[in-house]
Amino acid sequence: MKRIIATAATAGLLLLTPLGSTAASAAAPDGGVLGPDGYKSLHLGQSERAAEQTGLLVDKKGGGGCSVYHLRPSEGKPNPGGGVFIESRKGVAMITGTDRIHTPEGVTMGTSLDRVKAAYPRLKKIDDWIFETPVPGARHGQRYRIAFDDQDQVSDFALEAADRGRCDS
């Protein structure tokens, strides 16, 4: 059984969700780039109103100071629970990747752990299968959080602000 990561909409925390098989490619897809400050016209720290105006967001959920949106379907398929987390005071706090998105270093769904370690020498294990690393070139403490399945391939990844506010509790 493979594990993939889902982001808990109510807490903004990355959690495991067991699923059957996932098809993943190790090659960078043709979609957009996630990082170092955002994805396309969507940026960390951007207000909810400005984020909505990008046209990239659909299906708002949540409340209590942390709203969760999905990227529009044309941006690719995220893992369950993934999305764009927007903290009411701090703006966009986290953007999760999809099967069409990659980091500037070429990391995407299906990238091997060895390849991720080569791309991010400061990669640090924070749980059995979750790692994080500072975003290269970031000026404000942004980080990537990357989860791996039981075959050591990326099953989910996200760009996070250094302070996710209420989207972190």
Side-chain angles (χ1 to χ4, degrees):
M1 175 175 70
K2 291 194 182 214
R3 289 176 267 153
I4 59 175
I5 193 149
T7 310
T10 58
L13 303 173
L14 297 176
L15 305 171
L16 271 182
T17 301
L19 293 181
S21 176
T22 59
S25 168
D30 292 334
V33 176
L34 181 61
D37 298 313
Y39 174 72
K40 294 186 176 182
S41 57
L42 184 64
H43 301 285
L44 293 177
Q46 190 173 39
S47 72
E48 186 167 4
R49 180 179 168 99
E52 287 174 338
Q53 291 175 343
T54 66
L56 292 168
L57 304 180
V58 297
D59 302 327
K60 179 180 178 178
K61 304 240 184 326
C66 185
S67 299
V68 182
Y69 293 79
H70 287 111
L71 289 171
R72 66 180 179 226
S74 61
E75 302 303 322
K77 182 181 176 186
N79 280 318
V84 177
F85 289 69
I86 303 177
E87 207 271 352
S88 60
R89 296 168 298 163
K90 299 182 180 294
V92 175
M94 180 171 59
I95 305 166
T96 60
T98 71
D99 61 354
R100 297 199 60 228
I101 293 174
H102 59 90
T103 70
E105 296 76 26
V107 171
T108 189
M109 303 291 192
T111 302
S112 72
L113 176 58
D114 288 340
R115 168 72 181 86
V116 173
K117 286 178 177 178
Y120 303 113
R122 295 176 60 192
L123 189 71
K124 179 175 102 176
K125 189 174 189 176
I126 61 170
D127 199 347
D128 287 340
W129 37 267
I130 301 174
F131 292 73
E132 66 182 26
T133 186
V135 174
R139 297 180 307 268
H140 304 289
Q142 301 95 308
R143 64 186 172 263
Y144 288 120
R145 186 169 293 208
I146 306 168
F148 294 87
D149 63 21
D150 57 1
Q151 294 180 342
D152 287 339
Q153 294 182 330
V154 173
S155 60
D156 202 3
F157 62 107
L159 174 67
E160 300 179 334
D163 180 0
R164 297 186 314 180
R166 288 181 267 181
C167 289
D168 202 23
S169 59

